[in-house]
């Protein structure tokens, strides 16, 4: 495999070979997830950011544990399974297209809230409306 990629870069030049590789990745994503692949990629990026900020917040609080890290990766696997399941459901029944986008946006919103919570735990100064919103959100969940 290494010789193939080296040959591509030698024959086509680095710039063209890189564009070809990126185009192939986009083609695979488009084929697997249709036009919503950008939304799914955004969810993956948000999950990754949430994992990193969660680790940094736990480290600051001296609460790093392998159980929490395992729980984070388990969540990622569940999210991936949800995305795949809803996408396949839409392929079977196209009238349910709204569910495909809804689950991705719900996951993105969930991860964004978690990232903001982690930033707050790390001591990053947040606007007061965000802090108050998080408190109301947490209070609503506890009820």
């Amino acid at each position: 495999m290494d010789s193939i990629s080296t040959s591509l870069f030698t024959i086509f030049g680095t710039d063209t070979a890189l564009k070809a590789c990126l185009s192939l990745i986009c083609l695979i994503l488009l084929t697997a997830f249709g036009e919503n692949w950008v939304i799914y990629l955004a969810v993956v990026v948000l999950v990754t950011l949430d994992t990193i900020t969660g680790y940094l917040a736990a480290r600051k609080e001296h609460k790093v544990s392998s159980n929490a890290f395992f729980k984070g990766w388990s969540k990622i696997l569940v999210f991936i399974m949800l995305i795949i399941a809803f996408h396949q459901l839409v392929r079977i029944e196209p009238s349910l297209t709204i569910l495909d986008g809804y689950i991705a946006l719900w996951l993105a919103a969930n991860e964004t809230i978690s990232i903001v919570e982690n930033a707050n735990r790390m001591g990053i100064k947040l606007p007061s409306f965000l802090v108050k919103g998080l408190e109301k959100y947490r209070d609503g969940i506890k009820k």
Side-chain angles (χ1 to χ4, degrees), residues 1-19:
M1 183 69 178
D2 189 38
S3 62
I4 293 172
S5 62
T6 305
S7 299
L8 282 174
F9 287 108
T10 304
I11 295 169
F12 296 110
T14 305
D15 190 43
T16 305
L18 185 59
K19 288 177 185 175

Side-chain angles (χ1 to χ4, degrees), residues 5 21 32 36 41 49 59 73 87 92 99 115 120 125 141:
S5 62
C21 291
N36 290 337
L41 183 61
L49 286 173
R59 187 172 163 197
W73 280 104
H87 185 68
I92 294 168
L99 290 177
I115 291 167
N120 192 38
K125 186 142 175 80
I141 289 177

Side-chain angles (χ1 to χ4, degrees), residues 3-139:
S3 62
I4 293 172
S5 62
T6 305
S7 299
L8 282 174
F9 287 108
T10 304
I11 295 169
F12 296 110
T14 305
D15 190 43
T16 305
L18 185 59
K19 288 177 185 175
C21 291
L22 289 175
S23 296
L24 180 62
I25 291 168
C26 288
L27 177 65
I28 291 168
L29 290 170
L30 188 60
T31 302
F33 296 109
E35 64 279 352
N36 290 337
W37 73 270
V38 174
I39 296 171
Y40 299 130
L41 183 61
V43 170
V44 169
V45 168
L46 288 170
V47 168
T48 303
L49 286 173
D50 180 37
T51 303
I52 292 168
T53 58
Y55 169 76
L56 293 173
R59 187 172 163 197
K60 184 174 193 270
E61 297 169 342
H62 303 289
K63 295 182 179 179
V64 176
S65 76
S66 57
N67 287 339
F69 197 70
F70 177 75
K71 183 179 173 187
W73 280 104
S74 299
K75 179 179 75 169
I76 290 170
L77 290 175
V78 169
F79 281 6
I80 290 170
M81 289 188 311
L82 278 171
I83 288 171
I84 291 170
F86 274 90
H87 185 68
Q88 295 307 316
L89 182 64
V90 169
R91 282 186 164 187
I92 294 168
E93 183 55 56
S95 66
L96 299 175
T97 301
I98 193 163
L99 290 177
D100 195 25
Y102 175 79
I103 192 69
L105 292 174
W106 178 80
L107 293 172
N110 184 49
E111 291 305 295
T112 302
I113 291 168
S114 183
I115 291 167
V116 172
E117 287 175 335
N118 291 337
N120 192 38
R121 287 174 47 209
M122 286 188 289
I124 296 174
K125 186 142 175 80
L126 299 173
S128 60
F129 73 91
L130 272 179
V131 175
K132 289 177 185 175
L134 285 174
E135 289 170 0
K136 286 182 183 179
Y137 175 73
R138 277 190 230 124
D139 291 344

